[in-house]
Amino acid sequence: MSWSCDLSLLHELTERLARTALLDDALREVALAGGALVGARRGLVTLAPADGLGPDTTVGHGLGHSDLGALETVGFGAVPPGADEAAHPDLRQGPGARERHHEVAAQLGLAAAYGLALAVDGPSAGPEDGTLPSPDSATSRTNGVAYSAAELEPATSAAFPGDGGAEDFHDFSTTGPAACGPGPAPSTSGPAPCATESARRRLGAVVWFYDEPAEPTPRQRRLAGMYLRYAAEHLARGLDLARVRRDAAALSAEMLPARLPRVPGVRMAVRHQCGPLGGGDWYDALPLPEGALGLAVGGVTGAGPGAVAARDRLRASLRAYAVMEGEDPVAVLSDLELLLRLTEPARSATALFGHVCAPQSAGSRRVTLAGAGHCPPLLVGDHRCEFVETSLSAPLNMLSCWEAPGVELRVRPGESLVLFTDGLLHRTGDSADRAVARVHAAAQSATGAVREDPGLLADHLLRTVLPGGLDAAAGAEDLVLMVARFD
């Protein structure tokens, strides 16, 4: 029976969609589904939540960035408010489209299109009591969405969502109701009725494009409508998760210094990226008495809000200890270890703290460093590029008593000190030794002009060490890279 084939198709498509973990991947999967649902080779999904909280994005299948830009200029992909379905069987010569629409369609080789709104019923997907419907012998279930045989058989009086009038079926090439003229009446065998527009939460729209003038059959419309019913719920959950991750990352970033202090003779730059769950990596730079400067990077174990809160408590404590006894970085980390052991016994942390004295003879500066299980800093200059061999030591709160000697060095004018967290090494995908070698090689390859600017040096290191740079190297861990150049 045809309805059993339709059930198999819906099961396959919803299974593929359910396997997507990221919002962008889910949007691409919805755009791709048009080939199986309505026979369209290309498509786009526009995410524009009606609550205005974002994120707003457009994802295409079979369309390049320039194609998407051209489509956005004429409003392709917009299903007018109050309508759930929008179609244009002939984009090049059909009525209701402006001359610019014909030009874009001809330029991109688009002959027809079919669009549906993405909307969910109210703020949540389940019944008010939180229970799922009981199984029904006449109902087939796919990933939590029930499809009955009656829905999949040809209907005689079911109307598309809305009040069933011709005004619910608009030419999608228009940008709003005022610009929409009356279009062809909707098929009387469209998707099953659902909640009214006022009771639904609009997320965006999906539009599939044909290479030849065409229009989906009533069966294809029913399948597309039922698939998008599940897809909208999946996208709504992905949207909520993306917002939580965005807000967590924003909160985590706001708790770190928004700008680095201005210290005479020192220029600094920092690059920081949170993991998707919000991690515990941090950085700090603070002026100290007698013209000195304190530099610190570190990270606490774990991820999520608990790690972010512990990170901020640790960073605030380190600032206090640095002001009181910053000239002795070992004492600063010892106090920090004692605090961590007493207040958060189940958590450990790595840290690197450096005390930079005011300029001395010939402009050189004395730098005293101490590390607790942290990556050693890198000293970069015209005549040397080497890691500062801080003594091997355990992370804070890893042993019953933390102790490690400090190391002292002198930095000359024109040299830079590079501090980073292990997230930089982990995101390379290599072993620790190979990742460290990549960092060293990247620093050696920096030109003189790049070394003169701490921001350029930081960007050069990220581009060279991470394939595709910081934006393309998203990972589960935080990443911090701080450069301090001494003039």
Side-chain angles (χ1 to χ4, degrees), residues 256-257 280-289 293-300 309-340 343-344 349-356 368-372 374 396 402 419 482:
L256 294 173
D281 284 9
W282 49 272
Y283 64 91
D284 207 350
L286 65 156
L288 297 176
L293 172 69
L295 299 173
V297 292
V300 301
R311 175 203 72 184
D312 295 331
R313 289 193 293 268
L314 207 63
R315 187 181 71 87
S317 301
L318 184 141
R319 292 176 71 94
Y321 297 143
V323 170
M324 293 186 294
E325 47 192 1
E327 293 184 357
D328 187 355
V330 173
V332 171
L333 294 188
S334 296
D335 292 342
L336 199 63
E337 194 271 342
L338 178 60
L339 176 69
L340 188 64
T343 59
E344 304 196 42
T350 66
L352 176 68
F353 178 72
H355 179 272
V356 183
T368 307
L369 293 163
H374 201 81
L396 302 176
W402 179 87
L419 295 78
M482 184 166 63

Side-chain angles (χ1 to χ4, degrees), residues 184-402:
S187 169
T188 58
S189 56
C194 63
T196 61
E197 181 69 23
S198 60
R200 307 176 73 209
R201 179 162 61 103
R202 178 73 72 95
L203 303 178
V206 56
V207 181
W208 292 299
F209 297 100
Y210 297 87
D211 295 335
E212 300 294 336
E215 189 173 356
T217 64
R219 169 182 166 272
Q220 290 175 327
R221 289 179 179 174
R222 284 195 303 275
L223 286 176
M226 286 185 285
Y227 172 76
L228 288 187
R229 197 187 312 165
Y230 169 77
E233 299 290 354
H234 184 78
L235 292 175
R237 292 189 291 268
L239 178 64
D240 292 340
L241 181 59
R243 287 176 174 177
V244 169
R245 289 175 172 174
R246 178 193 63 190
D247 295 342
L251 178 61
S252 177
E254 287 295 327
M255 297 301 292
L256 294 173
R259 63 177 62 182
L260 299 175
R262 294 185 178 182
V263 177
V266 183
R267 289 181 291 149
M268 291 176 284
V270 66
R271 301 292 182 265
H272 173 241
Q273 187 179 69
C274 288
L277 300 179
D281 284 9
W282 49 272
Y283 64 91
D284 207 350
L286 65 156
L288 297 176
E290 300 180 359
L293 172 69
L295 299 173
V297 292
V300 301
T301 55
V308 174
R311 175 203 72 184
D312 295 331
R313 289 193 293 268
L314 207 63
R315 187 181 71 87
S317 301
L318 184 141
R319 292 176 71 94
Y321 297 143
V323 170
M324 293 186 294
E325 47 192 1
E327 293 184 357
D328 187 355
V330 173
V332 171
L333 294 188
S334 296
D335 292 342
L336 199 63
E337 194 271 342
L338 178 60
L339 176 69
L340 188 64
R341 178 152 45 93
L342 294 175
T343 59
E344 304 196 42
R347 196 181 296 276
S348 62
T350 66
L352 176 68
F353 178 72
H355 179 272
V356 183
C357 292
Q360 298 176 346
S361 59
S364 65
R365 294 174 182 259
R366 179 170 56 87
V367 179
T368 307
L369 293 163
H374 201 81
C375 305
L378 181 64
L379 188 61
V380 181
D382 294 336
H383 304 292
R384 57 177 173 173
C385 179
E386 58 191 22
F387 284 101
V388 180
E389 294 299 333
T390 55
S391 58
L392 294 176
S393 61
L396 302 176
N397 203 26
M398 187 67 72
L399 302 177
S400 58
C401 181
W402 179 87

Side-chain angles (χ1 to χ4, degrees), residues 17 20 22-30 45-47 118 120 201 203-206 228-242:
L17 182 60
T20 59
L22 300 178
L23 183 59
D24 283 350
D25 293 340
L27 293 173
R28 292 189 185 93
E29 185 60 41
V30 172
V45 181
T46 301
L47 188 66
L118 288 168
V120 292
R201 179 162 61 103
L203 303 178
V206 56
L228 288 187
R229 197 187 312 165
Y230 169 77
E233 299 290 354
H234 184 78
L235 292 175
R237 292 189 291 268
L239 178 64
D240 292 340
L241 181 59

